[in-house]
Amino acid sequence: MYSKQKNNAIFVQNLTILKITFLGTGTSQGIPIIGSKHPVCLSENPKDKRLRVSVLVAWDDYTYLIDCGPDFRQQMLKANCTKIDGIVFTHEHFDHVAGLEDIRPLCYMHGDMNVYAHKRVVKSIKHRFDYIFKTENKYPGAPSIVTNVIENKPFELSGLEVVPINVNHHFVQVFGFRFKDFAYLTDVKTVEDAEIEKLKHLEVLVVNALRIEPHISHFNLEEALQFIEIVNPKKAYLTHISHLLGFHDAVQQKLPENVFLAYDGLQITL
């Protein structure tokens, strides 16, 4: 077994099998959008129905959640997931954090929930969910959370090294994350060269592709495909998709052979 020593922690890397579950692959409003008559919103194909974006990353006996949006409860029930070891946040926007209240049953069963985020995101969460973090007269039903501030440098989750990837979501800083040879980036518009270097030699890259037309704060399809070509992973999956990208099956037919549209419930192992 290969391992490496770093900052007094041992990270066992090469024999670890990652299992990725896409809980949600939609944009901030999800698909279908309430009241929309757009053909994609009316589609009966389950792959065209997208909850807000989130994934589970599991290895050994550990499971971590990336982002906890407003569909979290529904997603966990659908995935039959009853325990997570922590939540890693990309940024503080509503569609990525609004489900935090729904971790209550997990806290009741398993104790305090560790969350990992940029210090700005931790501050935002503590403001938005101030009742959770009260030190006096805390409501007894509130979840119990331990916050862990992460910076743009590797950190450990249950023996595995995680590498943050610093990207820009228009004017908002966002973290993507690399676990072994898997990287997950959402809400990306620009990435500096030094951060792209962290993404070399990937088995799987997940990146946002909002729609066909350009957008101020997200990759559109053309930009996502250009970025994939630069990073050059073995496989890539597109996520954070709006109805304006088109029907799942129709878009998939036009993609390069190593690029795939993710969909809710998709599981991959590497």
Side-chain angles (χ1 to χ4, degrees), residues 8 22 58 135 160 185 214 234 244:
N8 298 319
F22 289 84
T135 56
L160 195 71
L185 280 70
K234 289 185 179 179
L244 298 176

Side-chain angles (χ1 to χ4, degrees), residues 12-144:
V12 179
Q13 300 282 19
N14 72 325
L15 296 183
T16 302
I17 297 174
L18 296 180
K19 180 180 179 181
I20 313 301
T21 303
F22 289 84
L23 299 178
T25 56
T27 186
S28 57
Q29 297 182 81
I31 304 173
I33 294 174
I34 295 172
S36 175
K37 301 301 182 184
H38 189 281
V40 174
C41 290
L42 300 177
S43 171
E44 295 184 1
N45 184 348
K47 293 180 180 179
D48 286 324
K49 300 182 187 300
R50 303 181 184 275
L51 300 174
R52 266 63 74 91
V53 68
S54 178
V55 296
L56 292 173
V57 183
W59 64 93
D60 299 334
D61 295 323
Y62 307 107
T63 301
Y64 285 84
L65 175 72
I66 301 182
D67 288 336
C68 184
D71 300 318
F72 170 74
R73 175 181 173 275
Q74 181 180 355
Q75 291 166 338
M76 293 291 281
L77 291 170
K78 186 176 180 180
N80 194 29
C81 181
T82 59
K83 183 180 184 295
I84 57 176
D85 295 282
I87 304 170
V88 186
F89 284 107
T90 60
H91 64 300
E92 67 272 35
H93 284 171
F94 181 87
D95 54 320
H96 296 260
V97 305
L100 195 57
E101 163 69 19
D102 284 331
I103 69 170
R104 286 189 296 165
L106 301 180
C107 293
Y108 300 159
M109 290 186 288
H110 307 295
D112 294 353
M113 180 68 71
N114 277 287
V115 302
Y116 303 82
H118 187 282
K119 63 181 179 180
R120 183 197 73 248
V121 179
V122 170
K123 181 179 179 181
S124 175
I125 289 171
K126 287 185 174 181
H127 175 72
R128 178 171 283 163
F129 300 96
D130 60 334
Y131 63 94
I132 292 177
F133 297 95
K134 282 187 175 182
T135 56
E136 296 182 2
N137 300 319
K138 179 179 176 179
Y139 178 65
S144 299

Side-chain angles (χ1 to χ4, degrees), residues 140-231:
S144 299
I145 291 175
V146 177
T147 57
N148 300 269
V149 172
I150 58 175
E151 301 175 348
N152 191 16
K153 59 184 181 182
F155 61 99
E156 178 192 355
L157 293 178
S158 299
L160 195 71
E161 182 182 61
V162 181
V163 180
I165 312 298
N166 199 58
V167 304
N168 297 306
H169 177 36
H170 190 32
F171 55 83
V172 177
Q173 179 274 342
V174 172
F175 274 145
F177 300 100
R178 177 171 183 161
F179 297 72
K180 288 190 63 191
D181 297 328
F182 167 80
Y184 180 83
L185 280 70
T186 184
D187 291 51
V188 181
K189 182 61 178 182
T190 58
V191 189
E192 295 182 359
D193 290 344
E195 301 301 309
I196 293 175
E197 284 298 312
K198 300 178 184 178
L199 297 170
K200 296 301 183 182
H201 311 297
L202 287 175
E203 291 285 332
V204 174
L205 170 67
V206 179
V207 67
N208 62 298
L210 186 70
R211 63 189 193 188
I212 302 299
E213 295 298 319
H215 189 272
I216 193 171
S217 60
H218 290 273
F219 281 159
N220 67 352
L221 179 58
E222 180 181 4
E223 291 166 332
L225 293 177
Q226 289 173 349
F227 183 73
I228 291 167
E229 187 172 352
I230 292 169
V231 174

